[in-house]
């Protein structure tokens, strides 16, 4: 049996995925668009072993007990079904995050697992097929198969819901400043949160039109390196996604006090001529897009506000690759 190791980077969505049309096949309600980041990634090794009596899943040196490893086991079952491999597997996964920052993500985790598990099981999948497979583990993992700017096309079934690269090599001096405002695990997972938005927010139908419009605007802006248009779209898209949490029943929010303070700082920086725009996912940590000439002034401002150790600079990152 061969052990295969794959590395995948996490991604930050500029146009968010927030809702499933089919929770079983992980088909989304809308398409979405992200940038893969260089700083945060997962290395995962998979080896199928006929002597095992169950899947052994180890993450960051910790062996997971059964309820905690269930998502990984479910995913391995899909790989076993596709490949005909019947053995259980050793899975060893390490998340590389600059600090214990709460920035580790299911996107890099399931993209790396899709690569390592499929190849260890004897499958040779194309990037398109890998992105469909990664989707079954976590929606955002669909996009982490590719580097740079990536669109996840919603599609209508398992075959057509996959990522396509919009621009794999980003020849544009842009950066993403990640602010670690709360390193703890999220109280409401994205999975629970998006489901509650779909079923209870009266604004959900409007969100679907927002996404269609935002994708139509942001794709040419990226291709023409129009930073202002890209920034305006990514910031308003994030706020409209978070409006779905406030308008759900019961309402909830991922913001904390520091999130709101950091949003204010972005506006202050912009007024002072340092163009930057924020986005955030299912947690309080802001990610601020800027162009590299403005990076020193922007990082200095946030370091003064929150401390240097809470400011992490990332750049566009690569797609999935095999390390062995
Ligand atoms: C806010 O991919 O974590 O980050 O598909 O249930 O695993 P599951 O959810 P997940 O949700 C990501 C939501 C988001 C937006 C995005 O990445 O597009």
């Amino acid at each position: 049996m061969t052990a295969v190791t794959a590395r995948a980077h996490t991604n930050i969505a500029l146009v968010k995925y927030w809702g499933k049309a089919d929770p079983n096949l992980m088909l989304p309600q809308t398409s979405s668009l992200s940038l893969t980041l260089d700083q945060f990634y997962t290395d995962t090794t998979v080896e199928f072993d006929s002597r095992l009596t169950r899947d052994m899943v180890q993450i960051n040196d910790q062996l997971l007990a059964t309820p905690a490893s269930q998502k990984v086991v479910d995913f391995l079952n899909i790989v076993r079904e596709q490949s005909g491999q019947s053995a259980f597997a050793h899975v060893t996964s390490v998340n590389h995050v600059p600090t214990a920052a709460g920035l580790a993500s299911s996107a890099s985790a399931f993209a790396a697992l899709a690569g390592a598990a499929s190849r260890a099981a004897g499958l040779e999948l194309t990037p398109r097929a890998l992105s469909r497979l990664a989707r079954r583990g976590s929606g955002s993992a669909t996009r982490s198969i590719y580097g740079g700017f990536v669109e996840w096309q919603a599609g209508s079934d398992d075959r057509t819901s996959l990522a396509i690269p919009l621009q794999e090599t980003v020849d544009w001096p842009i950066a993403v400043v990640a602010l670690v405002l709360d390193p703890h695990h999220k109280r409401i997972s994205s999975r629970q949160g998006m489901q509650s938005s779909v079923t209870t927010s009266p604004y959900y139908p409007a969100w679907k039109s927002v996404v269609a419009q935002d994708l139509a605007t942001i794709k040419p802006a990226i291709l023409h390196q129009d930073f202002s248009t890209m920034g305006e779209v990514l910031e308003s898209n994030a706020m409209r996604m978070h409006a779905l949490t406030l308008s759900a029943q019961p309402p909830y929010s991922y913001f904390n006090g520091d999130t709101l303070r950091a949003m204010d700082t972005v506006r202050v920086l912009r007024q002072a001529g340092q163009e930057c725009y924020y986005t955030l996912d299912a947690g309080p940590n802001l990610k601020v897009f800027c162009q590299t000439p403005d990076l020193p002034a922007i990082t200095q401002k946030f370091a003064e506000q929150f401390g240097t150790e809470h400011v992490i600079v990332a750049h566009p990152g690569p797609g999935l690759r095999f390390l062995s």
Side-chain angles (χ1 to χ4, degrees), residues 126-160:
T126 61
R128 288 167 74 92
L130 280 169
S131 109
R132 289 173 46 219
L133 177 61
R135 191 195 75 232
R136 303 293 297 277
S138 181
S140 51
T142 313
R143 300 181 305 236
S144 270
I145 298 298
Y146 295 103
F149 288 102
V150 184
E151 181 179 5
W152 174 12
Q153 299 190 331
S156 53
D157 56 20
D158 178 47
R159 197 177 53 81
T160 52

mmCIF file of all heavy atoms in Angstrom, residues 126-160:
data_model
loop_
_atom_site.group_PDB
_atom_site.id
_atom_site.type_symbol
_atom_site.label_atom_id
_atom_site.label_comp_id
_atom_site.label_asym_id
_atom_site.label_seq_id
_atom_site.Cartn_x
_atom_site.Cartn_y
_atom_site.Cartn_z
ATOM 1 N N THR A 126 -8.638 14.115 -12.601
ATOM 2 C CA THR A 126 -8.290 15.426 -13.158
ATOM 3 C C THR A 126 -8.611 16.492 -12.105
ATOM 4 O O THR A 126 -9.385 16.229 -11.170
ATOM 5 C CB THR A 126 -9.141 15.731 -14.399
ATOM 6 O OG1 THR A 126 -10.524 15.746 -13.967
ATOM 7 C CG2 THR A 126 -8.957 14.681 -15.494
ATOM 8 N N PRO A 127 -8.061 17.702 -12.261
ATOM 9 C CA PRO A 127 -8.431 18.760 -11.304
ATOM 10 C C PRO A 127 -9.949 18.981 -11.223
ATOM 11 O O PRO A 127 -10.482 19.204 -10.138
ATOM 12 C CB PRO A 127 -7.715 19.994 -11.849
ATOM 13 C CG PRO A 127 -6.524 19.438 -12.570
ATOM 14 C CD PRO A 127 -6.992 18.141 -13.171
ATOM 15 N N ARG A 128 -10.631 18.889 -12.346
ATOM 16 C CA ARG A 128 -12.100 19.066 -12.311
ATOM 17 C C ARG A 128 -12.743 17.995 -11.443
ATOM 18 O O ARG A 128 -13.623 18.289 -10.611
ATOM 19 C CB ARG A 128 -12.689 18.982 -13.727
ATOM 20 C CG ARG A 128 -12.371 20.188 -14.599
ATOM 21 C CD ARG A 128 -12.711 19.875 -16.047
ATOM 22 N NE ARG A 128 -14.141 19.878 -16.303
ATOM 23 C CZ ARG A 128 -14.818 20.946 -16.709
ATOM 24 N NH1 ARG A 128 -14.177 22.088 -16.908
ATOM 25 N NH2 ARG A 128 -16.104 20.882 -16.916
ATOM 26 N N ALA A 129 -12.312 16.747 -11.642
ATOM 27 C CA ALA A 129 -12.889 15.647 -10.857
ATOM 28 C C ALA A 129 -12.506 15.782 -9.381
ATOM 29 O O ALA A 129 -13.315 15.482 -8.493
ATOM 30 C CB ALA A 129 -12.417 14.309 -11.415
ATOM 31 N N LEU A 130 -11.278 16.256 -9.118
ATOM 32 C CA LEU A 130 -10.863 16.458 -7.726
ATOM 33 C C LEU A 130 -11.711 17.541 -7.065
ATOM 34 O O LEU A 130 -12.044 17.448 -5.889
ATOM 35 C CB LEU A 130 -9.387 16.865 -7.671
ATOM 36 C CG LEU A 130 -8.386 15.727 -7.810
ATOM 37 C CD1 LEU A 130 -6.981 16.280 -8.017
ATOM 38 C CD2 LEU A 130 -8.419 14.829 -6.569
ATOM 39 N N SER A 131 -12.045 18.573 -7.833
ATOM 40 C CA SER A 131 -12.833 19.644 -7.233
ATOM 41 C C SER A 131 -14.251 19.149 -6.922
ATOM 42 O O SER A 131 -14.813 19.478 -5.875
ATOM 43 C CB SER A 131 -12.782 20.901 -8.105
ATOM 44 O OG SER A 131 -13.975 21.165 -8.746
ATOM 45 N N ARG A 132 -14.800 18.283 -7.776
ATOM 46 C CA ARG A 132 -16.120 17.691 -7.486
ATOM 47 C C ARG A 132 -16.049 16.812 -6.241
ATOM 48 O O ARG A 132 -16.945 16.812 -5.403
ATOM 49 C CB ARG A 132 -16.599 16.857 -8.673
ATOM 50 C CG ARG A 132 -16.992 17.690 -9.885
ATOM 51 C CD ARG A 132 -17.298 16.810 -11.089
ATOM 52 N NE ARG A 132 -18.153 15.704 -10.744
ATOM 53 C CZ ARG A 132 -18.031 14.462 -11.227
ATOM 54 N NH1 ARG A 132 -17.083 14.185 -12.103
ATOM 55 N NH2 ARG A 132 -18.847 13.530 -10.860
ATOM 56 N N LEU A 133 -14.947 16.060 -6.123
ATOM 57 C CA LEU A 133 -14.793 15.183 -4.961
ATOM 58 C C LEU A 133 -14.621 16.004 -3.677
ATOM 59 O O LEU A 133 -15.269 15.734 -2.663
ATOM 60 C CB LEU A 133 -13.590 14.254 -5.176
ATOM 61 C CG LEU A 133 -13.230 13.317 -4.018
ATOM 62 C CD1 LEU A 133 -14.378 12.365 -3.702
ATOM 63 C CD2 LEU A 133 -11.966 12.513 -4.352
ATOM 64 N N ALA A 134 -13.756 17.025 -3.723
ATOM 65 C CA ALA A 134 -13.511 17.863 -2.539
ATOM 66 C C ALA A 134 -14.815 18.499 -2.051
ATOM 67 O O ALA A 134 -15.034 18.659 -0.850
ATOM 68 C CB ALA A 134 -12.478 18.941 -2.859
ATOM 69 N N ARG A 135 -15.691 18.842 -2.999
ATOM 70 C CA ARG A 135 -16.988 19.443 -2.675
ATOM 71 C C ARG A 135 -17.785 18.577 -1.708
ATOM 72 O O ARG A 135 -18.515 19.079 -0.848
ATOM 73 C CB ARG A 135 -17.775 19.625 -3.985
ATOM 74 C CG ARG A 135 -19.020 20.473 -3.853
ATOM 75 C CD ARG A 135 -19.932 20.299 -5.071
ATOM 76 N NE ARG A 135 -20.610 19.033 -5.025
ATOM 77 C CZ ARG A 135 -20.628 18.131 -6.022
ATOM 78 N NH1 ARG A 135 -20.040 18.371 -7.178
ATOM 79 N NH2 ARG A 135 -21.264 16.995 -5.850
ATOM 80 N N ARG A 136 -17.636 17.262 -1.831
ATOM 81 C CA ARG A 136 -18.425 16.364 -0.986
ATOM 82 C C ARG A 136 -17.998 16.458 0.491
ATOM 83 O O ARG A 136 -18.756 16.097 1.378
ATOM 84 C CB ARG A 136 -18.282 14.911 -1.476
ATOM 85 C CG ARG A 136 -18.684 14.705 -2.940
ATOM 86 C CD ARG A 136 -20.159 14.901 -3.185
ATOM 87 N NE ARG A 136 -20.988 13.949 -2.471
ATOM 88 C CZ ARG A 136 -21.272 12.717 -2.890
ATOM 89 N NH1 ARG A 136 -20.803 12.289 -4.044
ATOM 90 N NH2 ARG A 136 -22.060 11.932 -2.184
ATOM 91 N N GLY A 137 -16.763 16.941 0.730
ATOM 92 C CA GLY A 137 -16.290 17.103 2.109
ATOM 93 C C GLY A 137 -16.702 18.444 2.695
ATOM 94 O O GLY A 137 -17.204 18.532 3.810
ATOM 95 N N SER A 138 -16.498 19.502 1.924
ATOM 96 C CA SER A 138 -16.857 20.845 2.364
ATOM 97 C C SER A 138 -16.969 21.722 1.129
ATOM 98 O O SER A 138 -16.097 21.670 0.252
ATOM 99 C CB SER A 138 -15.767 21.387 3.298
ATOM 100 O OG SER A 138 -16.123 22.671 3.747
ATOM 101 N N GLY A 139 -18.018 22.538 1.088
ATOM 102 C CA GLY A 139 -18.270 23.332 -0.114
ATOM 103 C C GLY A 139 -17.076 24.176 -0.525
ATOM 104 O O GLY A 139 -16.641 24.156 -1.688
ATOM 105 N N SER A 140 -16.499 24.906 0.434
ATOM 106 C CA SER A 140 -15.408 25.813 0.075
ATOM 107 C C SER A 140 -14.168 25.054 -0.413
ATOM 108 O O SER A 140 -13.313 25.637 -1.081
ATOM 109 C CB SER A 140 -15.059 26.707 1.267
ATOM 110 O OG SER A 140 -14.854 25.923 2.424
ATOM 111 N N ALA A 141 -14.046 23.758 -0.096
ATOM 112 C CA ALA A 141 -12.907 22.958 -0.563
ATOM 113 C C ALA A 141 -12.929 22.765 -2.082
ATOM 114 O O ALA A 141 -11.876 22.566 -2.697
ATOM 115 C CB ALA A 141 -12.910 21.594 0.126
ATOM 116 N N THR A 142 -14.103 22.854 -2.671
ATOM 117 C CA THR A 142 -14.253 22.748 -4.127
ATOM 118 C C THR A 142 -13.268 23.695 -4.825
ATOM 119 O O THR A 142 -12.658 23.354 -5.828
ATOM 120 C CB THR A 142 -15.692 23.156 -4.536
ATOM 121 O OG1 THR A 142 -16.604 22.499 -3.686
ATOM 122 C CG2 THR A 142 -15.993 22.833 -5.981
ATOM 123 N N ARG A 143 -13.128 24.923 -4.252
ATOM 124 C CA ARG A 143 -12.325 25.968 -4.901
ATOM 125 C C ARG A 143 -10.840 25.833 -4.595
ATOM 126 O O ARG A 143 -10.014 26.393 -5.317
ATOM 127 C CB ARG A 143 -12.826 27.353 -4.434
ATOM 128 C CG ARG A 143 -14.296 27.622 -4.764
ATOM 129 C CD ARG A 143 -14.712 29.021 -4.286
ATOM 130 N NE ARG A 143 -14.428 29.190 -2.884
ATOM 131 C CZ ARG A 143 -15.304 29.533 -1.942
ATOM 132 N NH1 ARG A 143 -16.569 29.774 -2.257
ATOM 133 N NH2 ARG A 143 -14.930 29.654 -0.681
ATOM 134 N N SER A 144 -10.473 25.137 -3.490
ATOM 135 C CA SER A 144 -9.053 25.075 -3.092
ATOM 136 C C SER A 144 -8.224 24.106 -3.932
ATOM 137 O O SER A 144 -7.031 23.973 -3.703
ATOM 138 C CB SER A 144 -8.923 24.715 -1.606
ATOM 139 O OG SER A 144 -8.923 25.889 -0.816
ATOM 140 N N ILE A 145 -8.834 23.444 -4.895
ATOM 141 C CA ILE A 145 -8.057 22.595 -5.806
ATOM 142 C C ILE A 145 -7.177 23.473 -6.709
ATOM 143 O O ILE A 145 -6.106 23.067 -7.142
ATOM 144 C CB ILE A 145 -9.002 21.705 -6.656
ATOM 145 C CG1 ILE A 145 -9.817 20.759 -5.744
ATOM 146 C CG2 ILE A 145 -8.242 20.942 -7.742
ATOM 147 C CD1 ILE A 145 -9.001 19.775 -4.922
ATOM 148 N N TYR A 146 -7.649 24.670 -6.991
ATOM 149 C CA TYR A 146 -6.917 25.577 -7.889
ATOM 150 C C TYR A 146 -6.279 26.729 -7.114
ATOM 151 O O TYR A 146 -6.767 27.127 -6.056
ATOM 152 C CB TYR A 146 -7.869 26.178 -8.930
ATOM 153 C CG TYR A 146 -8.439 25.155 -9.884
ATOM 154 C CD1 TYR A 146 -9.742 24.699 -9.737
ATOM 155 C CD2 TYR A 146 -7.669 24.649 -10.930
ATOM 156 C CE1 TYR A 146 -10.272 23.760 -10.619
ATOM 157 C CE2 TYR A 146 -8.191 23.716 -11.815
ATOM 158 C CZ TYR A 146 -9.495 23.272 -11.653
ATOM 159 O OH TYR A 146 -10.004 22.354 -12.522
ATOM 160 N N GLY A 147 -5.229 27.296 -7.698
ATOM 161 C CA GLY A 147 -4.624 28.495 -7.139
ATOM 162 C C GLY A 147 -5.279 29.743 -7.714
ATOM 163 O O GLY A 147 -6.077 29.675 -8.649
ATOM 164 N N GLY A 148 -4.926 30.887 -7.155
ATOM 165 C CA GLY A 148 -5.380 32.174 -7.677
ATOM 166 C C GLY A 148 -6.872 32.397 -7.518
ATOM 167 O O GLY A 148 -7.482 31.954 -6.549
ATOM 168 N N PHE A 149 -7.461 33.118 -8.486
ATOM 169 C CA PHE A 149 -8.894 33.408 -8.447
ATOM 170 C C PHE A 149 -9.658 32.228 -9.052
ATOM 171 O O PHE A 149 -9.323 31.769 -10.160
ATOM 172 C CB PHE A 149 -9.207 34.674 -9.246
ATOM 173 C CG PHE A 149 -8.736 35.939 -8.574
ATOM 174 C CD1 PHE A 149 -7.576 36.587 -8.990
ATOM 175 C CD2 PHE A 149 -9.462 36.492 -7.518
ATOM 176 C CE1 PHE A 149 -7.138 37.754 -8.369
ATOM 177 C CE2 PHE A 149 -9.038 37.661 -6.886
ATOM 178 C CZ PHE A 149 -7.869 38.289 -7.318
ATOM 179 N N VAL A 150 -10.670 31.764 -8.345
ATOM 180 C CA VAL A 150 -11.364 30.533 -8.717
ATOM 181 C C VAL A 150 -12.872 30.727 -8.581
ATOM 182 O O VAL A 150 -13.338 31.277 -7.577
ATOM 183 C CB VAL A 150 -10.946 29.370 -7.772
ATOM 184 C CG1 VAL A 150 -11.591 28.059 -8.199
ATOM 185 C CG2 VAL A 150 -9.433 29.226 -7.709
ATOM 186 N N GLU A 151 -13.600 30.248 -9.560
ATOM 187 C CA GLU A 151 -15.061 30.294 -9.450
ATOM 188 C C GLU A 151 -15.589 28.875 -9.227
ATOM 189 O O GLU A 151 -15.186 27.939 -9.923
ATOM 190 C CB GLU A 151 -15.678 30.859 -10.743
ATOM 191 C CG GLU A 151 -17.201 30.942 -10.642
ATOM 192 C CD GLU A 151 -17.873 31.520 -11.897
ATOM 193 O OE1 GLU A 151 -17.166 31.784 -12.898
ATOM 194 O OE2 GLU A 151 -19.102 31.695 -11.854
ATOM 195 N N TRP A 152 -16.464 28.725 -8.269
ATOM 196 C CA TRP A 152 -17.202 27.465 -8.098
ATOM 197 C C TRP A 152 -18.542 27.654 -8.796
ATOM 198 O O TRP A 152 -19.356 28.447 -8.348
ATOM 199 C CB TRP A 152 -17.385 27.156 -6.613
ATOM 200 C CG TRP A 152 -18.262 25.964 -6.293
ATOM 201 C CD1 TRP A 152 -18.716 25.005 -7.138
ATOM 202 C CD2 TRP A 152 -18.778 25.628 -5.005
ATOM 203 N NE1 TRP A 152 -19.488 24.078 -6.458
ATOM 204 C CE2 TRP A 152 -19.537 24.440 -5.142
ATOM 205 C CE3 TRP A 152 -18.675 26.223 -3.738
ATOM 206 C CZ2 TRP A 152 -20.204 23.841 -4.066
ATOM 207 C CZ3 TRP A 152 -19.334 25.633 -2.665
ATOM 208 C CH2 TRP A 152 -20.076 24.445 -2.837
ATOM 209 N N GLN A 153 -18.700 26.957 -9.888
ATOM 210 C CA GLN A 153 -19.960 27.049 -10.629
ATOM 211 C C GLN A 153 -20.973 26.118 -9.980
ATOM 212 O O GLN A 153 -20.724 24.906 -9.864
ATOM 213 C CB GLN A 153 -19.723 26.682 -12.083
ATOM 214 C CG GLN A 153 -18.718 27.649 -12.715
ATOM 215 C CD GLN A 153 -18.603 27.507 -14.216
ATOM 216 O OE1 GLN A 153 -18.813 26.431 -14.774
ATOM 217 N NE2 GLN A 153 -18.248 28.593 -14.874
ATOM 218 N N ALA A 154 -22.075 26.700 -9.563
ATOM 219 C CA ALA A 154 -23.065 25.946 -8.776
ATOM 220 C C ALA A 154 -23.489 24.667 -9.491
ATOM 221 O O ALA A 154 -23.590 23.608 -8.877
ATOM 222 C CB ALA A 154 -24.279 26.825 -8.498
ATOM 223 N N GLY A 155 -23.734 24.744 -10.805
ATOM 224 C CA GLY A 155 -24.208 23.583 -11.547
ATOM 225 C C GLY A 155 -25.575 23.139 -11.059
ATOM 226 O O GLY A 155 -26.219 23.833 -10.252
ATOM 227 N N SER A 156 -25.981 21.951 -11.515
ATOM 228 C CA SER A 156 -27.312 21.477 -11.113
ATOM 229 C C SER A 156 -27.271 20.046 -10.596
ATOM 230 O O SER A 156 -28.277 19.527 -10.134
ATOM 231 C CB SER A 156 -28.264 21.551 -12.310
ATOM 232 O OG SER A 156 -27.677 20.857 -13.397
ATOM 233 N N ASP A 157 -26.110 19.406 -10.665
ATOM 234 C CA ASP A 157 -25.995 18.038 -10.145
ATOM 235 C C ASP A 157 -24.530 17.746 -9.825
ATOM 236 O O ASP A 157 -23.667 18.619 -9.991
ATOM 237 C CB ASP A 157 -26.569 17.020 -11.147
ATOM 238 C CG ASP A 157 -25.912 17.130 -12.517
ATOM 239 O OD1 ASP A 157 -24.796 17.693 -12.602
ATOM 240 O OD2 ASP A 157 -26.507 16.666 -13.507
ATOM 241 N N ASP A 158 -24.269 16.528 -9.392
ATOM 242 C CA ASP A 158 -22.909 16.163 -8.966
ATOM 243 C C ASP A 158 -21.879 16.381 -10.079
ATOM 244 O O ASP A 158 -20.743 16.766 -9.835
ATOM 245 C CB ASP A 158 -22.914 14.690 -8.515
ATOM 246 C CG ASP A 158 -21.531 14.229 -8.109
ATOM 247 O OD1 ASP A 158 -20.867 14.966 -7.353
ATOM 248 O OD2 ASP A 158 -21.103 13.145 -8.546
ATOM 249 N N ARG A 159 -22.286 16.162 -11.301
ATOM 250 C CA ARG A 159 -21.357 16.256 -12.430
ATOM 251 C C ARG A 159 -21.004 17.704 -12.780
ATOM 252 O O ARG A 159 -19.894 18.011 -13.185
ATOM 253 C CB ARG A 159 -22.000 15.554 -13.650
ATOM 254 C CG ARG A 159 -21.070 15.183 -14.780
ATOM 255 C CD ARG A 159 -21.830 14.445 -15.868
ATOM 256 N NE ARG A 159 -23.008 15.199 -16.321
ATOM 257 C CZ ARG A 159 -22.972 16.201 -17.198
ATOM 258 N NH1 ARG A 159 -21.843 16.559 -17.740
ATOM 259 N NH2 ARG A 159 -24.084 16.830 -17.540
ATOM 260 N N THR A 160 -21.974 18.596 -12.602
ATOM 261 C CA THR A 160 -21.784 19.967 -13.108
ATOM 262 C C THR A 160 -21.406 20.987 -12.019
ATOM 263 O O THR A 160 -21.147 22.145 -12.326
ATOM 264 C CB THR A 160 -23.062 20.455 -13.807
ATOM 265 O OG1 THR A 160 -24.173 20.271 -12.914
ATOM 266 C CG2 THR A 160 -23.320 19.670 -15.086
#
